[in-house]
């Protein structure tokens, strides 16, 4: 699908971002020239996906499109049981309704924000065991998304009775779309088995992860992406999937597992929250498009083209000395905002300030992965300051050309050149009690004098530290 994009003037953008209360989520899409807010649901579907949609079977129960998706999941990941959902977080909601209870601890590598939300809303806790090297953007290592095995073992030892499962997120989105090695997946499996725990995969970008295993983990170089995918999933008990990423769909998701018991219990929640077990909130045509998209995403030539485009942008940034999480990841470039805006205080939202500057410069929309996203501690309601302040530029699949990447790099270079003039950030005018970055209202420092006190958490959550 090809869509028109619109250019704008700086004056127009100044007005629009002010009206949006300096929250890029509140901009209308036609106020954006190049939209790198997310790679989720924003890719272009193929002719084969559209062709499949035309033959979508819209039966309420037992649709042909459901069976097509089920067969594809069996072939690619080797799971016998699966439930479709309308997107990834819905799969989290359904499966966690079965597996997570109050007081539980879920260790993993940088749980995605909705994943963490679904854990915390159940008064359980997510513990991040990502390797330390991921938090230094300039260290160049092949698998910065890995789980630190020592940390994981500490958690498993200390909280043995309270861990329902270990969660591996591939690729590790929040530290830069960094991959997890097959070696690490195997070691996590070994540890989990030692403590008698299941392992789940948050698989949104599984194909990009498999590409990196092929390219960077020598032993697997001769294997096809599909073989590597089968191998990756042979070590886990189940998967959560957002079809909006490596399913190359505009909507869709599923969970899949070996355990019939999990499947039966999850089916009840799926029917309540999503829809009957053979459609789960999706139309038949969506399930058909997802079945085709999963296969296309595991073609080497597609993956190579995609990931080389991310690399292309990275190389341009190298030329301008703009620092980002190295090496460049699978779906996005993560600009190290602290290294650029050295005078903006952390209380003034450094990465968000950079995101706004890039928008003002050229109408490019990225997303803050920093203090706004990290949100407040559910108990103390203090800001949680993360180790990194990143501006994520996520690249939609099969959508933009390298010419667009050139524009992005040049716009960043212009912001970089005037970085010393950007000394002030933003203050919060309004924020909701959970997942605040989507709907927060901000004002430039000096525009209002007093921060509005954070509102009390309406949704009761529990954390011990
Ligand atoms: N897990 C990971 C690793 C994700 O990146 C996302 C979504 C989800 C789960 C939830 O899936 O959106 O289908 O409900 N990530 C998007 C992003 C929103 O922009 O990174 P969903």
């Amino acid at each position: 699908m090809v869509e028109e994009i619109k250019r704008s003037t700086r004056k127009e953008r100044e007005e629009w971002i002010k009206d949006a209360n300096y929250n890029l989520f509140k901009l209308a899409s036609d106020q954006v020239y190049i939209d790198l807010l997310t790679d989720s649901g924003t890719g272009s579907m193929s002719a084969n996906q559209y062709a499949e949609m035309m033959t979508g079977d819209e039966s309420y129960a037992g649709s042909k499109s459901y069976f097509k998706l089920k067969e594809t999941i069996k072939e690619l990941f080797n799971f016998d049981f699966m439930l479709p959902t309308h997107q990834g977080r819905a799969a989290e909601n359904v499966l966690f309704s079965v597996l997570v209870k109050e007081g539980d601890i879920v260790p993993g590598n940088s749980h995605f924000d909705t994943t963490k939300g679904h854990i915390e809303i159940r008064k359980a806790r997510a513990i991040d065991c990502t390797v330390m090297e991921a938090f230094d953007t300039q260290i160049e290592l092949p698998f910065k998304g890995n789980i630190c095995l020592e940390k994981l073992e500490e958690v498993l030892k200390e909280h043995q009775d309270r861990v329902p499962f270990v969660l591996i997120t591939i690729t590790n989105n929040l530290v830069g779309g960094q991959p997890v090695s097959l070696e690490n997946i195997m070691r996590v499996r070994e540890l989990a088995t030692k403590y008698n725990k299941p392992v789940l995969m948050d698989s949104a970008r599984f194909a990009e992860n498999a590409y990196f295993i092929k390219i960077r983990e020598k032993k697997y170089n001769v294997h096809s992406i599909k073989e590597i995918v089968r191998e990756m999933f042979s070590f886990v008990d189940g998967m959560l999937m957002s079809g909006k990423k490596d399913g190359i769909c505009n909507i869709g998701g599923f969970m899949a597992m070996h355990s019939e018991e999990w499947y039966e219990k999850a089916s009840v929640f799926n029917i309540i929250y999503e829809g009957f077990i053979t459609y789960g909130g999706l139309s038949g045509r969506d399930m058909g498009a997802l079945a085709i998209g999963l296969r296309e995403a595991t073609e080497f030539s597609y993956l190579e083209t995609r990931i080389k485009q991310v690399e292309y942008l990275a190389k341009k940034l190298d030329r301008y000395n703009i620092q980002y999480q190295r090496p460049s990841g699978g779906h996005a470039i993560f600009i190290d905002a602290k290294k650029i805006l050295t005078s903006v205080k952390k209380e003034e939202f450094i990465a968000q300030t950079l995101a706004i500057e890039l928008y003002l410069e050229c109408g490019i929309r990225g997303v803050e992965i920093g203090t706004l996203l990290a949100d407040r501690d559910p108990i103390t309601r203090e800001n949680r300051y993360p180790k990194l302040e990143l501006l994520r530029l996520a690249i939609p699949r099969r959508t933009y050309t390298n010419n667009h990447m050139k524009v992005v790099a040049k716009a960043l270079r212009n912001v970089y050149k005037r970085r010393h003039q950007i000394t002030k950030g933003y203050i919060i005018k309004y924020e909701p009690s959970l997942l605040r970055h989507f709907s927060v209202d901000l004002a430039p420092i000096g525009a209002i004098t007093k921060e509005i006190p954070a509102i009390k958490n309406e949704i009761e959550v529990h954390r011990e530290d």
Side-chain angles (χ1 to χ4, degrees), residues 427-446:
I427 192 171
I428 290 179
K429 260 175 37 181
Y430 157 79
E431 67 179 298
S433 59
L434 202 65
L435 297 175
R436 68 177 175 184
H437 61 294
F438 291 118
S439 47
V440 68
D441 286 339
L442 299 166
I445 293 284

Side-chain angles (χ1 to χ4, degrees), residues 38-40 87-89 92 112 114-115 169 173 202 204-205 242 244-245 392:
T38 179
D39 62 321
S40 181
Q87 63 184 90
R89 69 199 67 184
E92 290 162 5
F112 183 65
T114 59
T115 321
T169 301
N173 178 6
D202 178 352
R205 299 176 181 88
S242 166
K244 301 171 74 173
K245 284 85 169 172
R392 186 184 77 171

Side-chain angles (χ1 to χ4, degrees), residues 29 83 231 261 301 377 415 454:
S29 63
L83 288 164
E231 181 77 357
E261 189 193 335
S301 55
D377 182 280
V415 174

Side-chain angles (χ1 to χ4, degrees), residues 223-255:
H223 293 282
S224 71
I225 296 292
K226 286 191 172 66
E227 283 165 351
I228 294 170
V229 169
R230 286 279 280 212
E231 181 77 357
M232 279 157 56
F233 285 87
S234 72
F235 295 103
V236 299
D237 302 278
M239 69 186 285
L240 298 156
M241 180 69 193
S242 166
K244 301 171 74 173
K245 284 85 169 172
D246 280 349
I248 329 186
C249 278
N250 304 126
I251 197 71
F254 61 87
M255 73 208 81

Side-chain angles (χ1 to χ4, degrees), residues 44-63:
S44 306
M45 291 211 293
S46 67
N48 282 335
Q49 284 178 292
Y50 281 111
E52 187 65 38
M53 288 180 85
M54 288 297 144
T55 57
D57 176 357
E58 305 305 338
S59 307
Y60 189 97
S63 124

